[in-house]
Amino acid sequence: MQNFGDILGEVFRAMMANKLRTFLTMFGIAWGVGSLLVLVGLGEGFRSGQRRNLASIGNDVVMTFNATIPALPNQHTAMRPYKLTLRDEIDMRKLPELRSVTATLNRNDLYEVSAWSNTSMLVLGVEPNFSEIRFVPVAQGRFLDDADLTEHRRVAVLGSKAAHTLYPGHPFLGESITINGTRFTVVGSVATIARGGQDFDDQKVYIPLTTAQELFAMKGENIPKDAVNTIQYQPATKGNSDAAVPAVHRVLGHNHDFDPSLKDAFDEFDSIHTSHLVDVIFDAMDLFLGGVGIVTLGLGAVGIINIMLVSVTERTREIGLRKALGATKGSILAQFFWEGLILTGVSGIIGIGISAGFMAILQGLLTGKMPGFDPPQLVWWSAALALGSLAICGIVAGVYPASMAAALEPVEALRRE
């Protein structure tokens, strides 16, 4: 009766006796596993990059903008414009379908001056909860609070590029800037939230919404005094805006006297819907890339099966000789089982290691340099699937013909060519 060490010794001697065949088998397995992992990792890298971009906007955010009302559905002539107002925001806060609402007033025609520099960046009148709905990580100091809003304080929080431009290499907390001649005290700054080469969000100066409406309200005919540029909200149900969006449409339709079923009367961006759409697109991409990888893996599996079948067929006489010397059918099958398992297992691990190393190099070289996309990343379920399927192919391809040969009488097996 052979022990486990004897069986492994037989396996390694058989593998070393056919070095070229062993190398080709292992190369095919490693190539198939590595190809599948890189292709699936590519799709997952694209998916994570898009999710990261959306997360940098905010969490579960739906943005509503000023828009125009068509006279008839799908008609783009004689459209009546309307402006969002604080009344809209107040009414939206009463909706049970929403959990958080904030309004903003934007001005990009103002002039900011510090003791060191001057610029003209976007001034954003916001409420304190803006930093909870949108992604606004505070780097230094603080963000705006309720007292800033209720007392109409003249304080400002600088985006990272705004801080660098107005105070190049100088401290700015507690310092003053003027916005169109009005003095504001800097109370904080925001960390960079640029996406790729797009640093628009870093070029912002945040001030209290009440102060912005007092000093820099919208100008023009028939514009309400409490007009704002956007109202942004989060649905009560996380990850689902199906109930929130129609509820908001009903409020705006009622307040601005139009039929809320007119889809063209709304200008909005639904990050939740966009996120779901991105998932669908990248699910399809994963399916396609995974299919290509599986085809590659399948070709590797066919090669393994062919090599193992030929290997076992060539060794039928060896099997007959071992039986004649007293080897049991179980010990013969154990040898081919472990041969198939070691070949596929070691080769698969090599393939995983090489693909993981390749993707790690890409992570180091490409991270942050492809806006909207992340480099490929290792997906462990695909590694387990590839390694498991190839191991099964290798074991079956070795054990099945070996069992047929071991079932022969020793004399008959020795006659085989």
Side-chain angles (χ1 to χ4, degrees), residues 9-30:
E10 294 277 357
V11 168
F12 286 112
R13 279 192 292 273
M15 291 169 60
M16 294 307 295
N18 297 278
K19 295 184 180 66
L20 180 60
R21 184 164 62 197
T22 299
F23 170 77
L24 293 175
T25 303
M26 296 182 72
F27 179 81
I29 297 169

Side-chain angles (χ1 to χ4, degrees), residues 43-65:
E44 286 303 306
F46 288 161
R47 184 197 297 269
S48 69
Q50 291 300 312
R51 283 179 174 171
R52 180 169 47 80
N53 261 10
L54 288 172
S56 68
I57 294 174
N59 179 31
D60 272 7
V61 184
V62 182
M63 306 179 192
T64 300
F65 306 92

